[in-house]
């Protein structure tokens, strides 16, 4: 027994030496980790070899010699466990089988993902508050990482949309309605749904995903039909219009009645639904005098009313689906039409027509020549009788009425203005009214118009806007060229004089009043007027004038003539003064007259004869004044050879 105890460890060691073995057969590896070294070492007895069995995870392992390597980068989402089956063989005989297991550990390496990128949801306008609009199962995102907890937030894209909707919880992405909807204010709202796989935004690693929610508010049938125009209305309520009208007794009007404030007309109060409205008369007539169009709402007469009477009709407007309706009152007054007269909209109508126009040509509207002259009257008491009004011209055979349009009744050969009286008569009430036509016969710009032109022919006779613009451009260019030519000719003719008379020239040279047009080549010397100053000086206070003879006192006025122009140029006078040079002189005169006028008509005028020739000084008294003419006396000139007026 003792010997066996000694031999047992030796036998075990010998047995182990005859089989394959590994130091560890269970491993844990994080996904996405690359194993560069051997995963395990296999002890292989002499004379045996180790191989991978067919039940190993495909392509996951490889054996090099006696080393077991991980052949792939593990991915938890593909395989959570990798298994290697090792077979030790002696020849073709399998001596030992070993199993090595690798557990792949999950890491946060995948972002969450929504099942949609854009979700459009219709939400009824009348949805109750706190209603779940979209359940959690339709909004939650999926994350391949098994241990990840997803956190959701809602961000508004449409301003204000966040006040209508919210999520049930951070980890419960069900969408809830928080306040009542209003189709007329919020017809569509957009929200951004965001999910994150970490609770903290700055955690690493962290992944997010987003999806867009579009919530279209679907209008609900909340409002009945509205009769227009509403007496008061907002987006939610309308105080229905009530209609009034009048019909003549003893007459059945064939056309729909004209009512105030307008025809019977109703619309669905829910404009987003806009159901068709059907009309009917509920009460108010026992004899069926009136009928209403179910679709149009037009109120018509089925028979005449023999005597004055007031009808109060209750009219209903009902949605075509029968869900809602509303009613209103229609008051029709039947009264006698005797004495009712039409009224013209204008007391006078203005028209134009081309001379030599053929018979039957339309008279054009003077304010809008492209339109025919149209007169129109209406019955203020019975608007329905406007169609019964006829028109005629009573006092001018050159024109006639064609309905409401004025036409020529004869060829007009003379230019000028023609007047005509037009009469409107209501054939039902026999009431009449009159107005005046003022028609101007103009010289035609083209061929005289013929009777009965079609609209396209009328268009052909009129110049287009492009034609008129082209003509205006040509005329404007010609006018500009003419003005330029006038400026050039004026500069050549009067340029030197304008230069001599300019203020700049007067500052650099002595002021002279010689007119070369009156220079006498035989008169070498010219003597200045006795009171003329040698140059332009500022005029001082006026000196008292010398007494003038009685013969010239009626036309002469005293004033310092030489200083007048200079005073005007220096601004010394309260009224601007301009110089007018006259070329009139008598054959026996020497020199000429310069006259300064004030801007006002009533200003005094100074007339000075300047530069009278010295040899003819004795003849100066004969010169007279421009205003005295032949009636001046030779002894009436103060100061020798110059006359002051």
């Amino acid at each position: 027994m003792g010997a066996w105890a000694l031999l047992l460890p030796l036998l075990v060691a010998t047995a182990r030496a005859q089989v394959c073995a590994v130091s560890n057969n269970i491993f844990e590896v994080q996904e996405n980790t690359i194993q560069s070294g051997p995963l395990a070492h296999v002890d292989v007895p002499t004379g045996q070899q180790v191989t991978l069995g067919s039940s190993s995870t495909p392509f996951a392992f490889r054996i090099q010699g006696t080393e077991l390597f991980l052949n792939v980068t593990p991915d938890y989402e593909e395989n959570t466990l990798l298994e290697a089956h090792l077979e030790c063989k002696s020849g073709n005989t399998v001596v030992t089988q070993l199993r090595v297991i690798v557990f792949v550990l999950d890491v946060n390496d995948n972002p969450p993902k929504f099942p949609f990128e854009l979700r459009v949801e219709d939400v009824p306008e009348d949805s109750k508050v706190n209603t779940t609009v979209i359940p959690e199962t339709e909004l939650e995102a999926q994350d391949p990482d098994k241990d990840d907890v997803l956190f959701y937030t809602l961000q508004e894209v449409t301003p204000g949309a966040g006040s209508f909707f919210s999520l049930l919880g951070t980890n419960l992405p069900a969408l809830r309605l928080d306040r009542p909807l209003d189709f007329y204010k919020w017809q569509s709202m957009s929200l951004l749904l965001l999910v994150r796989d970490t609770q903290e935004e700055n955690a690493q690693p962290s992944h997010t995903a987003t999806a867009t929610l579009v919530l279209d508010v679907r209008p609900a049938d909340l409002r009945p039909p509205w009769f227009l125009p509403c007496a008061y209305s907002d987006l939610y309520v309308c105080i229905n219009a009530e209609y009034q009208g009048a019909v003549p007794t003893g007459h059945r009007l064939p056309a729909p009645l004209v009512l105030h404030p307008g025809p019977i007309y109703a619309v669905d109060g829910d404009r987003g639904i806009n159901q068709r409205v059907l009309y009917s008369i509920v009460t108010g007539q026992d004899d069926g005098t009136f009928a209403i169009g179910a679709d149009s709402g037009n109120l018509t007469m089925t028979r005449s009313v023999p005597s004055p009477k007031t009808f109060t009709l209750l009219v209903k407007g009902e949605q075509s689906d029968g869900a809602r309706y509303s009613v209103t009152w229609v008051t029709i007054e039947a009264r006698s039409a005797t004495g009712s007269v039409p009224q013209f909209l204008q007391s006078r109508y203005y028209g134009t027509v081309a001379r030599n126009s053929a018979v039957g040509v339309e008279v054009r509207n003077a304010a809008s020549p492209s339109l025919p002259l149209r007169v129109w009257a209406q019955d203020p008491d019975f608007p329905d009788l406007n169609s019964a009004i006829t028109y005629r011209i009573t006092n001018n055979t050159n024109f006639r009425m064609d309905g409401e349009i004025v036409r020529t009744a004869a060829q007009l050969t003379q230019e000028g203005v023609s007047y005509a009286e037009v009469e409107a008569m209501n054939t039902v009430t026999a009431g009449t009214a009159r107005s005046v036509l003022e028609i101007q016969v103009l010289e035609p710009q083209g061929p005289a118009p013929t009777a009965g032109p079609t609209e396209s022919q009328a268009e052909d006779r009129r110049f287009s806007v492009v034609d008129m613009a082209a003509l205006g451009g040509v005329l404007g260019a010609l006018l500009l060229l003419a003005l330029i030519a006038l400026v050039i000719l004026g500069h050549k003719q009067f340029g030197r004089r304008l230069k001599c008379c300019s203020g700049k020239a007067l500052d650099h040279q002595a002021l002279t009043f010689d007119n070369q047009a009156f220079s006498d080549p035989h008169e070498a010397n010219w003597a200045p007027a006795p009171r003329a100053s040698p140059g332009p000086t500022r005029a001082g206070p006026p000196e008292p004038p010398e007494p003038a003879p009685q013969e010239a006192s009626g036309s002469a006025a005293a004033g310092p003539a030489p200083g007048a122009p200079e005073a005007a140029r220096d601004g010394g006078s309260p009224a601007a003064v301009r110089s007018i040079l006259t070329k009139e002189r008598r054959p026996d005169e020497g020199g000429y007259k310069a006259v300064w006028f004030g801007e006002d008509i009533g200003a005094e005028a100074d007339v000075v004869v300047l530069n009278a020739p010295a040899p003819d000084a004795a003849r100066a008294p004969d010169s007279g004044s421009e205003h005295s003419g032949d009636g001046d006396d030779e002894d009436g000139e103060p100061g020798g050879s110059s006359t002051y007026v």
Side-chain angles (χ1 to χ4, degrees):
M1 187 67 182
W4 284 106
L6 294 175
L7 292 174
L8 183 60
L10 180 60
L11 293 174
V12 172
T14 303
R16 289 182 177 178
Q18 300 300 319
V19 297
C20 295
V22 292
S23 58
N24 189 4
N25 63 344
I26 298 177
F27 298 90
E28 290 183 346
V29 178
Q30 286 189 342
E31 64 174 326
N32 306 324
T33 302
I34 300 176
Q35 297 288 334
S36 58
L39 183 66
H41 176 76
V42 182
D43 293 326
V44 181
T46 304
Q48 298 182 15
Q49 62 275 358
V50 61
T51 60
L52 286 173
S54 59
S55 59
S56 301
T57 303
F59 311 109
F61 300 93
R62 75 178 187 274
I63 293 178
Q64 292 181 357
T66 59
E67 305 291 339
L68 178 64
F69 288 87
L70 193 60
N71 200 39
V72 295
T73 300
D75 187 349
Y76 178 84
E77 287 70 38
E78 292 183 1
N79 290 299
T80 60
L81 183 144
L82 304 175
E83 189 173 358
H85 291 272
L86 305 180
E87 295 179 348
C88 291
K89 296 180 179 181
S90 175
N92 293 327
T93 303
V94 176
V95 178
T96 308
Q97 291 185 343
L98 299 174
R99 188 172 67 170
V100 177
I101 298 176
V102 178
F103 292 97
V104 180
L105 302 180
D106 185 28
V107 297
N108 186 12
D109 62 339
N110 291 285
K113 185 176 182 181
F114 284 105
F116 57 87
E117 293 182 359
L118 176 66
R119 171 72 179 266
V120 180
E121 187 75 14
D122 290 336
V123 183
E125 181 184 14
D126 57 352
S127 297
K128 302 298 182 182
V129 174
N130 293 327
T131 300
T132 298
V133 178
I134 305 177
E136 174 188 0
T137 55
E138 298 181 16
L139 292 181
E140 62 183 355
Q142 302 298 324
D143 193 335
D145 300 323
K146 69 171 184 178
D147 295 329
D148 286 354
V149 178
L150 301 181
F151 300 87
Y152 298 88
T153 56
L154 197 63
Q155 301 175 356
E156 63 179 28
V157 176
T158 302
S163 63
F164 286 91
F165 301 96
S166 65
L167 298 176
L168 288 180
T170 304
N171 306 115
L172 298 175
L175 191 66
R176 177 180 58 193
L177 179 64
D178 293 335
R179 55 180 288 195
L181 297 172
D182 188 340
F183 172 77
Y184 298 103
K185 293 182 179 179
W186 305 88
Q187 297 184 7
S188 181
M189 290 174 276
S190 296
L191 297 165
L192 186 68
L193 182 61
L194 183 143
V195 62
R196 188 175 58 252
D197 58 10
T198 58
Q199 187 172 6
E200 296 79 15
E201 294 184 7
N202 56 355
Q204 293 296 331
S206 180
H207 305 90
T208 61
T210 59
T212 301
L213 302 178
V214 177
L215 304 168
D216 292 334
V217 180
R218 187 174 70 249
D221 194 356
L222 303 175
R223 303 163 186 86
W226 293 355
F227 283 95
L228 303 181
C230 298
Y232 167 81
S233 68
D234 54 21
L235 297 178
Y236 311 100
V237 68
C238 168
I239 298 179
N240 290 327
E242 296 183 1
Y243 305 93
Q244 299 85 32
V247 297
T249 56
H251 299 277
R252 175 184 173 273
L253 301 177
L257 301 186
V258 177
L259 303 176
H260 179 80
I264 299 174
Y265 179 63
V267 297
D268 189 348
D270 300 299
R271 290 175 294 174
I273 299 177
N274 199 24
Q275 279 281 342
R276 187 165 58 97
V277 177
L278 303 177
Y279 305 91
S280 61
I281 298 176
V282 181
T283 61
Q285 60 172 359
D286 299 330
D287 53 359
T289 304
F290 300 98
I292 192 169
D295 294 317
S296 64
N298 290 334
L299 193 65
T300 56
M301 296 183 69
T302 60
R303 65 186 68 182
S304 63
V305 181
S307 60
K309 182 179 180 181
T310 299
F311 296 86
T312 303
L313 308 178
L314 184 64
V315 175
K316 180 172 73 172
E318 185 176 13
Q319 294 178 187
S320 59
D321 60 359
R324 297 181 181 274
Y325 71 91
S326 60
V327 295
T328 189
W329 295 106
V330 180
T331 303
I332 305 297
E333 183 179 357
R335 60 175 180 263
S336 175
T338 304
S340 178
V341 297
Q343 292 181 357
F344 278 100
L345 299 182
Q346 298 175 219
S347 60
R348 179 168 297 196
Y349 294 84
Y350 298 90
T352 61
V353 67
R355 186 173 66 85
N356 291 327
S357 295
V359 176
V361 172
E362 291 179 347
V363 176
R364 314 308 292 178
N365 191 320
S368 301
S370 61
L371 301 176
L373 179 61
R374 186 184 299 272
V375 298
W376 191 68
Q378 61 181 359
D379 194 311
D381 298 322
F382 301 99
D384 301 277
L385 300 181
N386 291 339
S387 59
I389 297 176
T390 61
Y391 304 89
R392 70 184 184 95
I393 292 177
T394 61
N395 63 348
N396 194 322
T397 59
N398 290 329
F399 303 96
R400 65 179 177 85
M401 295 301 300
D402 182 8
E404 300 171 355
I405 296 177
V406 184
R407 294 185 180 272
T408 59
Q411 188 172 17
L412 306 176
T413 59
Q414 299 294 329
E415 292 187 49
V417 179
S418 296
Y419 295 90
E421 182 185 69
V422 59
E423 179 187 77
M425 184 179 71
N426 192 321
T427 57
V428 175
T429 65
T432 60
R434 292 175 176 82
S435 185
V436 176
L437 303 179
E438 182 177 318
I439 302 173
Q440 189 171 10
V441 182
L442 303 175
E443 187 67 29
Q445 298 182 353
T450 58
T454 63
E455 187 64 24
S456 61
Q457 290 174 342
E459 286 291 336
D460 293 339
R461 292 203 308 270
R462 296 194 298 269
F463 291 106
S464 66
V465 176
V466 177
D467 296 335
M468 298 304 294
L471 179 61
V474 173
L475 293 177
L478 293 176
L479 178 60
L480 179 61
L481 293 176
L483 291 175
I484 295 175
L486 288 175
V487 171
I488 295 175
L489 291 176
H491 179 73
K492 289 183 177 180
Q493 184 69 20
F494 303 106
R496 182 179 300 177
R497 298 179 189 177
L498 294 173
K499 182 177 181 181
C500 293
C501 295
S502 65
K504 183 177 180 180
L506 290 175
D507 292 341
H508 292 83
Q509 63 184 18
L511 179 64
T512 62
F513 301 92
D514 293 339
N515 190 339
Q516 300 300 328
F518 293 93
S519 298
D520 190 349
H522 300 290
E523 297 176 355
N525 298 321
W526 290 74
R531 295 177 60 183
S533 60
T537 60
R538 182 178 299 275
E543 298 179 0
E546 298 181 8
Q550 185 176 0
E551 294 79 3
S553 62
S555 59
E566 187 65 29
R569 183 169 64 251
D570 293 342
S573 175
V577 178
R578 55 191 176 93
S579 173
I580 298 179
L581 182 62
T582 178
K583 295 183 180 180
E584 295 182 3
R585 71 184 181 95
R586 298 176 182 174
D588 56 348
E589 282 184 338
Y592 62 95
K593 301 170 188 164
V595 184
W596 288 271
F597 290 92
E599 291 294 336
D600 298 331
I601 299 300
E604 294 183 351
D606 296 332
V607 180
V608 183
V609 176
L610 305 174
N611 295 346
D616 296 339
R619 292 182 291 144
D622 295 335
S623 63
S625 69
E626 189 173 1
H627 297 281
S628 61
D630 295 336
D632 292 341
D633 189 17
E634 294 180 359
D635 297 332
E637 299 183 277
S641 62
S642 298
T643 300
Y644 296 84
V645 182

